């Protein structure tokens, strides 16, 4: 048998073709595989690589189980001290066994938990945080220097000198710290999402969750059962020896799975992690679809984000076993007892041959017995003084040796543990003790119910002192906790509370439901004790780890308390305990117990840190989902956009619109194209797509009065057929928007807004219409997308347009500047406005959007023979600035009043009220020293000031100089033959004729003269245009 | 994501259809120009920062477009009830507030 691995780089470790007999160490499936045990498929062997070494695995393996089967315990180096680390758990809570995975080009992922990643043929994995190699790692000197880098090390050490932080400390810390390396290519995978609605969502498909789903499903409720593992079963998958209703557990499980599968009202999602519990029973579920496949089907999403809205939720997340805190509890070969149980019973892997079990609860005894039955030498150090008879008997029968009141207090070894120190507890103090040779130390420090999702709801947790655990208390959502997650230990309790929970939530959702009665004949769980530190406080200098992923020791937690941290939130931040990607799943309770002991308080007095979504590390891809690249945000296009694209337009985004910025001809850069478009428009004419302007149809008997109150200008008496430039303020008196308002009839107005302001302005108008000016009969309709708008500007604009117009005389006298009328243009019904944003004779042709391109093409066909051009937003900006017309949001910033902008003439001072009138009377808005809009002419006529450049009084001021304003708009002008700018300057109008200075980034200063913001045709003579 | 009951549509709809619109029951004075600076500042700037039940406005922007009022508990982020614009703020019973 041979296989081909995808070739991604030239490293000899990543050879192309591998032949099994040459490459494999030991037997198929690994030397530590136990005959007759496990759910792995012995008929489906597969190969993958770890640091280039080819590893044999079986279908159903995780990377962790396959490595353990080959006797590999050393998987990586720790975050801070670079200590050798192995596999602690068999689940998603794993803090240590983080690897890099490579699923082909662009599909490299760091910090994947080896205990979660399923093996497939050809998978490449690598260890992390080591250099040059896993066994010889330079960073391990940190371990020797560890007395220097304890709790609060970063806070204390890198304070001085201040300038060192950016240049020296941070780069060094960044280089030394961290785990895997980030991928360097764009993620080629796609991610998807969908909503789901269910009567009942069951989170966790262990015994409790399955029982709940069965009870609710049988009652007829629509049920979703989600579980993070590859198949449903949870703890049952590791417990084939249990007997349920007279059947072996796995037979019961298979029957339950088949029954659930057969119910049309039940959806079962494996590989689906409930990552967040949001308001009103909306639970986010991350489903993994392809990470376990050697050859994912093309186009298949990698992950799917489910947003499940459930009437009722059952939380059956189970419990996590807790490590014990003792010196050297992090060496490869030291792991949780439950993990060893799972590796044996689910994966058929014996984690060691000479095993010490440090126990504080009964289930560890069942594990010990199972390991002994599989052929290992096992010795239990039980912290409690005794265990129940049946628990002890099975261990005796299996040949397990044991001592009571005994704890593990130390280990020896480097890349793998080789000895453990066991000491007797007398009056709570460890005494005497011997070193015992071993290759594995198992920890069973108690069980911690998984209350993470419950905590997301802000439900109250209550401390259970007997279980030494927080349990779900008062609930804020429609949810019920069941099984070990509710502190109910054992299989019978899980099935009973699960079934009851399922029945009760189905009843709450309106179904008649009964809990099932299930009888459990054999059950390994038993009584649960709990200990955190084997020998509290005795590890002044030892590496007794609490948080493995962030390398936080018991000593660090005690030191934090000693240095004044009183709340667990402070201890957490000072030590970083619980702040790694595992969110302290295996460490939080131990950290709390140690801090509480050091403070002499009870754990609930010290508090528990807040669990936050996501429950497990989740890809950015899942959250970004379809919102990337072209679908990051919707792109709006006008009906003329395609013509612009066909004719070489360069586009720019303007709010959500794609707008033509300029139309370069061959060889032109932006500056050249814009200068040409500006000159052509002023000399002949220019055609511009203004369709993106916001448009609002305001109708009704009180439409005029409504607009009169909303806008600053006097609009009540605006004659039919006329237009007016209008300003919109907030109640605070600052400019919000501007536009042109045209009156079509007594009761109908055509209102335009800025491109970006359309939705905001309509929302503001609606607010006043619905909630303040309720006495007015008026109706507002957004018509932005109903009209395509073509602006024609220039002395020849009338010549271009007149031949296309029917039903209207557009001569200068007949159709004066600032008029509006209905007519036909190019045979299409149109609203024609005579208005100008350039200072030239101008028309704006509004036609129904579906005719936009045809009318545009007709106008362009007419304009081209007159020497006209099409122009884009950049030319529009220059031409309006030459006339001193503002762009709201560019020359204003939300703190500019009409007077600041030189637009006080637009205020209807005689009106009793308009929005913003009272605001303009505020003392700060009438005081001197306000920034006013002025023009700037640089001394050097070729110099274009950067927009945003700061302005100071000049010259000869010593730094620091007070900044008196900034440049808002700055361009090259074809008409002026030089550059010009607009700026907001304190009392700017009083500075007209004087000089200001602008410090530049290179340390120089530019000098400019303050001028009126009117650079071209101050008499407005050009508005007339040539006759048709 | 919250589910919000629109009192006009008489339906519970997802939060994405709605826009928050500030504190409720702040009435724009009939003639603001008659107000003193202090009175106007109180109207323009001063808002409650309630720990507990807060009356606020929402707009069913991507639905009927109507503004309406909501009583929301700022501690639990639970919406206690919704009512139409212009209706007085309802008195909440202690149980409803909890």
């Amino acid at each position: 048998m041979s296989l081909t691995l995808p070739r991604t780089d030239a490293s000899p470790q990543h050879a192309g073709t591998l032949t099994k007999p040459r490459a494999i160490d030991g037997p198929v499936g690994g030397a530590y595989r136990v005959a007759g045990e496990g759910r792995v498929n012995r008929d489906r062997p597969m190969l993958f690589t770890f640091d280039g070494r080819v590893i044999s695995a079986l279908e159903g393996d995780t990377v962790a189980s396959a490595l353990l089967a080959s006797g590999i315990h050393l998987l990586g180096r720790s975050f801070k001290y670079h200590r050798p680390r192995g596999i602690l758990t068999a689940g998603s809570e794993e803090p240590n066994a983080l690897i890099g995975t490579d699923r082909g080009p662009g599909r490299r992922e760091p910090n994947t938990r080896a205990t979660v990643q399923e093996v497939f043929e050809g998978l490449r994995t690598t260890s992390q945080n080591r250099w040059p190699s896993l066994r010889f790692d330079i960073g391990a000197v940190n371990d020797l220097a560890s007395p220097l880098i304890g709790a609060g090390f970063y806070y204390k050490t890198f304070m001085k000198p201040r300038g060192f932080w950016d240049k020296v400390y941070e780069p060094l810390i960044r280089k030394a710290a961290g785990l895997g390396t980030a991928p360097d290519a764009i993620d080629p995978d796609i991610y998807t999402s969908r909503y789901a609605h269910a009567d009942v969502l069951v989170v966790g498909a262990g015994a409790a969750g399955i029982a709940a789903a069965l009870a609710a499903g049988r009652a007829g409720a629509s049920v979703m059962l989600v579980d993070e593992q590859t198949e449903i079963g949870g703890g049952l998958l590791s417990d084939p020896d249990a007997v349920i209703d007279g059947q072996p557990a796995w037979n019961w499980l298979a029957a339950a799975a088949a029954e659930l599968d057969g119910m049309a009202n039940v959806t079962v999602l494996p590989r689906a992690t409930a990552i967040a519990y949001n308001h009103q029973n909306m639970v986010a579920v991350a489903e993994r679809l392809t990470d376990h496949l050697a050859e994912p089907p093309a186009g298949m999403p990698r992950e799917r984000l489910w947003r499940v809205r459930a009437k009722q939720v059952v939380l059956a997340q189970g419990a996590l076993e807790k490590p014990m805190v003792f010196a050297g509890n992090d060496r490869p070969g030291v792991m949780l007892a439950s993990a060893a149980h799972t590796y044996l019973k689910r994966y058929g892997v014996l984690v060691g041959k000479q095993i010490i079990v440090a126990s504080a609860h009964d289930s560890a005894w069942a594990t010990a017995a199972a390991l002994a039955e599989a052929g290992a030498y096992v010795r239990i150090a039980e912290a409690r003084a005794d265990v129940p008879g049946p628990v002890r008997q099975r261990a005796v029968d299996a040949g397990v040796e044991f001592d009571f009141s005994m704890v593990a207090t130390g280990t020896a070894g480097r890349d793998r543990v080789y000895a453990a120190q066991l000491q007797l507890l007398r009056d709570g103090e460890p005494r005497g003790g011997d070193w015992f040779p071993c290759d594995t130390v198992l920890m069973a420090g108690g069980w911690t119910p998984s209350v993470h999702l419950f905590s997301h709801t802000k439900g109250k947790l209550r401390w259970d002192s007997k279980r030494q655990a927080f349990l779900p208390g008062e609930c804020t959502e429609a949810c019920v906790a069941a099984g070990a997650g509710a502190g109910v230990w054992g299989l019978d309790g899980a099935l009973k509370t699960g079934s009851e929970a399922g029945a009760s939530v189905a009843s709450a959702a309106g179904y008649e439901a009964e809990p099932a009665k299930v009888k459990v004949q054999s059950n390994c769980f038993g009584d649960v004790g709990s200990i955190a530190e084997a020998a509290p406080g005795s590890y002044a200098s030892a590496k007794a780890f609490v948080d493995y992923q962030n390398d936080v020791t018991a000593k660090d937690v005690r030191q934090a308390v000693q240095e004044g941290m009183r709340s667990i939130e402070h201890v957490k931040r000072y030590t970083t305990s619980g702040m790694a990607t595992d969110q302290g799943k295996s460490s939080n309770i131990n950290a709390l117990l140690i801090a509480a002991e050091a403070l002499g308080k009870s754990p609930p007095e010290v508090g528990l840190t807040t669990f936050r979504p996501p429950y497990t590390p989740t890809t950015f891809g899942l959250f970004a989902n379809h919102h990337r690249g072209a679908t990051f945000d919707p792109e709006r296009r006008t009906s003329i956009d395609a013509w612009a694209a066909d004719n070489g337009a360069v586009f720019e985004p303007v709010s959500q619109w794609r707008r033509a910025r300029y139309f370069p001809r061959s060889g032109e850069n932006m500056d050249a194209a814009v200068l040409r478009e500006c000159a052509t428009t002023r000399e002949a004419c220019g055609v511009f797509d203004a369709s993106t302007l916001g448009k609002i149809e305001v109708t009704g008997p009180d439409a005029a009065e409504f607009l009169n109150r909303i806008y600053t200008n006097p609009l009540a008496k605006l004659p039919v057929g006329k237009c007016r430039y209008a300003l919109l303020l907030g109640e605070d008196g600052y400019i919000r928007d501007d536009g042109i308002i045209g009156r079509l009839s007594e009761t109908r107005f055509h209102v335009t807004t800025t491109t970006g302001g359309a939705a905001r302005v309509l929302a503001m108008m609606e607010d006043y219409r619905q909630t303040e000016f309720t006495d007015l009969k008026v109706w507002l309709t957004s018509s932005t997308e109903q009209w395509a708008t073509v602006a024609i500007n220039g002395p020849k604009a009338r010549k271009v347009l007149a031949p296309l117009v029917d039903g209207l005389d557009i001569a200068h006298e007949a159709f004066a500047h600032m008029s509006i009328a209905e007519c036909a243009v190019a045979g299409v019904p149109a609203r024609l406005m005579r208005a100008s944003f350039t200072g030239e004779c101008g028309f704006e042709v509004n036609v129904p959007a579906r005719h936009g391109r045809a009318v545009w093409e007709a106008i362009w066909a007419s304009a081209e023979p007159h020497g006209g051009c099409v122009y884009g937003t950049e030319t529009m900006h220059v031409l309006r600035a030459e006339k001193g017309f503002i762009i709201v949001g560019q020359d204003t910033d939300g703190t500019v009043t009409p007077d600041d902008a030189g637009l006080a003439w637009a205020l209807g001072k005689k009106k009793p009220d308009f929005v913003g009138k009272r605001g303009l009377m505020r003392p700060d808005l009438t005081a001197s020293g306000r920034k006013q809009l002025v023009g700037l002419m640089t001394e050097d006529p070729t110099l274009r000031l950067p927009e945003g450049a700061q302005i100071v009084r000049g010259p000869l001021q010593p730094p620091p100089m007070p900044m008196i304003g900034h440049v808002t708009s700055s361009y090259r002008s074809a008409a002026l033959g030089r550059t010009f700018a607009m700026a907001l300057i304190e009392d700017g109008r009083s500075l007209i004729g004087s000089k200001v200075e602008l410090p530049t980034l290179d340390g120089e200063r530019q000098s400019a003269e303050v001028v009126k913001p009117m650079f071209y045709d101050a008499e407005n003579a050009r508005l007339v245009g040539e006759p048709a | 994501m919250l589910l919000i009951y629109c009192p006009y549509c008489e339906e519970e709809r997802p939060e994405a259809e709605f826009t928050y619109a500030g504190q409720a029951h702040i009435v724009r004075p009939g003639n603001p120009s008659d107000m003193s600076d202090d009175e106007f500042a109180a109207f323009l700037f001063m808002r409650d920062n309630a720990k507990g039940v807060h009356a606020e406005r929402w707009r069913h922007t991507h639905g009927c477009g109507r503004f309406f009022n909501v009583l929301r508990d700022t501690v639990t982020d639970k919406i206690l009830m919704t009512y139409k614009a212009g209706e007085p703020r309802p008195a909440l019973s202690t149980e409803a507030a909890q």
Side-chain angles (χ1 to χ4, degrees), chain A residues 748-946:
Chain A
R748 182 174 294 271
F749 289 82
H750 181 100
V751 175
T752 69
T753 75
T754 59
T755 292
R760 212 163 44 232
V761 170
L762 181 62
M764 176 175 163
M765 285 188 185
E766 275 292 347
D767 195 349
Y768 281 91
R769 185 189 72 80
Q770 291 181 32
T771 69
E772 300 292 353
F773 304 148
T774 52
D775 54 321
L776 300 181
K777 291 192 172 76
V778 62
W779 191 251
L780 308 170
T781 308
S782 167
S783 57
T784 302
E785 295 190 343
Q786 277 60 45
W787 297 109
T789 306
V790 184
I792 310 152
N793 282 271
K796 296 188 189 300
R798 191 175 289 106
K799 281 190 196 315
V800 169
L801 186 61
L804 302 172
V805 175
D806 281 323
L808 186 70
D809 178 3
I810 62 166
H812 174 59
E813 300 75 15
F815 192 61
H817 182 58
M818 297 307 268
S819 295
I820 185 168
E822 288 175 311
C823 61
V825 175
V828 175
R831 281 184 186 172
L832 184 64
M833 289 166 81
R834 181 152 171 221
S836 171
F837 201 38
T838 61
E840 302 296 329
C841 175
F843 297 90
E844 287 184 9
V845 180
N846 294 280
V847 293
R850 66 184 181 280
H851 300 298
R853 179 160 180 176
V855 171
W856 169 273
E857 286 179 358
I859 291 170
W860 173 234
S862 177
E864 205 173 9
H866 289 286
C869 69
V870 292
Y871 67 90
T873 51
E874 200 62 29
T875 291
M876 179 266 285
H877 285 161
V878 179
L879 296 178
R880 64 89 202 175
E882 288 172 352
K883 292 292 293 176
F885 297 149
I886 62 163
I887 288 184
V888 173
Q890 176 166 343
D891 302 298
T892 71
D893 61 3
T895 65
V896 174
T897 67
D899 185 62
D900 297 341
L903 296 169
W905 58 265
L907 299 175
K909 296 188 180 67
K910 290 183 189 152
K911 293 201 286 186
D913 188 21
F914 57 82
V915 175
K917 182 177 165 100
R918 176 61 184 85
L920 288 173
M921 293 153 61
R922 293 189 288 142
D924 283 356
L925 271 60
T926 52
S928 64
R930 292 198 59 80
K931 287 182 180 169
Q932 296 170 331
L933 191 69
V934 292
L936 285 183
M937 289 293 213
T938 49
E939 228 158 53
D940 173 357
T942 65
L943 179 89
R944 180 166 52 182
L945 294 166

Side-chain angles (χ1 to χ4, degrees), chain A residues 195 279-280 309 476-477 731-732 763 766-768 770-772 913-915 917-919 922-923, chain B residues 1-3 26 28 31-33 35-37 40 44-45 57 59 65-67 75-78:
Chain A
Y195 286 89
H279 284 303
Q280 286 165 289
R309 182 81 72 175
T476 64
E477 297 283 349
E731 290 287 2
D732 51 16
E766 275 292 347
D767 195 349
Y768 281 91
Q770 291 181 32
T771 69
E772 300 292 353
D913 188 21
F914 57 82
V915 175
K917 182 177 165 100
R918 176 61 184 85
R922 293 189 288 142
Chain B
M1 190 191 290
L2 298 171
L3 289 174
I26 293 173
R28 186 178 190 270
N31 195 347
S33 296
M35 299 171 92
S36 70
D37 282 340
F40 186 69
L44 188 60
F45 297 118
R57 306 186 319 144
R59 184 181 180 216
R66 303 292 292 268
F67 286 83
V75 178
T76 62
D77 205 15
K78 277 189 186 301

Side-chain angles (χ1 to χ4, degrees), chain A residues 157 224 297 346 444 491 679 899:
Chain A
T157 311
M224 280 185 81
R346 182 169 172 189
L491 190 50
D899 185 62

